[in-house]
Amino acid sequence: VYIAQQEQDQTSHLQEIVYAEAMAELYEAIQKLPPKAREIVQLTYLEGNSNQQVADLLQINIQTVKNQKLRALSLLRQHLSRDSFHYFLSLIVVFGKI
């Protein structure tokens, strides 16, 4: 029982490290985005606003929001490692932000 608990603790700790590294890489990549794309990524994916809410907030067309999100995803794919990008996509899907 003790050994099983230790293994579970080690796995949990490793998952926390991987998560922290992926999030650090993600935030660094987001900072490299063009200003408008970065702002829209932050407002939608990180703050949870809908496309319509972002369009209203920034006083832009909703299609512009969608286009900027697609542009940002394309650029993030270039800046992130394959695993980090897939992790980011999985978060988007899990939290329904795509």
Side-chain angles (χ1 to χ4, degrees):
V1 175
Y2 176 76
I3 292 174
Q5 181 62 42
Q6 290 291 46
E7 289 175 358
Q8 184 178 0
D9 290 347
Q10 287 176 346
T11 300
S12 177
H13 185 65
L14 180 59
Q15 289 171 337
E16 289 175 18
I17 291 170
V18 169
Y19 172 81
E21 288 177 357
M23 291 307 290
E25 185 179 354
L26 173 61
Y27 279 99
E28 185 177 319
I30 289 172
Q31 293 307 311
K32 293 178 182 177
L33 292 173
K36 187 58 74 178
R38 179 176 56 239
E39 183 176 28
I40 289 172
V41 164
Q42 289 173 329
L43 289 170
T44 56
Y45 298 128
L46 302 180
E47 295 180 20
N49 293 295
S50 70
N51 290 345
Q52 187 62 58
Q53 289 171 319
V54 172
D56 293 344
L57 183 66
L58 300 179
Q59 298 180 339
I60 58 177
N61 187 297
I62 192 167
Q63 190 59 47
T64 302
V65 173
K66 293 176 183 179
N67 291 342
Q68 288 291 331
K69 284 171 63 175
L70 288 174
R71 179 179 182 213
L73 287 174
S74 176
L75 292 170
L76 286 173
R77 178 178 289 196
Q78 295 172 16
H79 294 298
L80 293 170
S81 70
R82 183 176 157 264
D83 289 341
S84 292
F85 183 72
H86 287 141
Y87 183 72
F88 175 62
L89 289 180
S90 69
L91 289 176
I92 292 170
V93 171
V94 167
F95 293 106
K97 302 291 189 211
I98 204 164

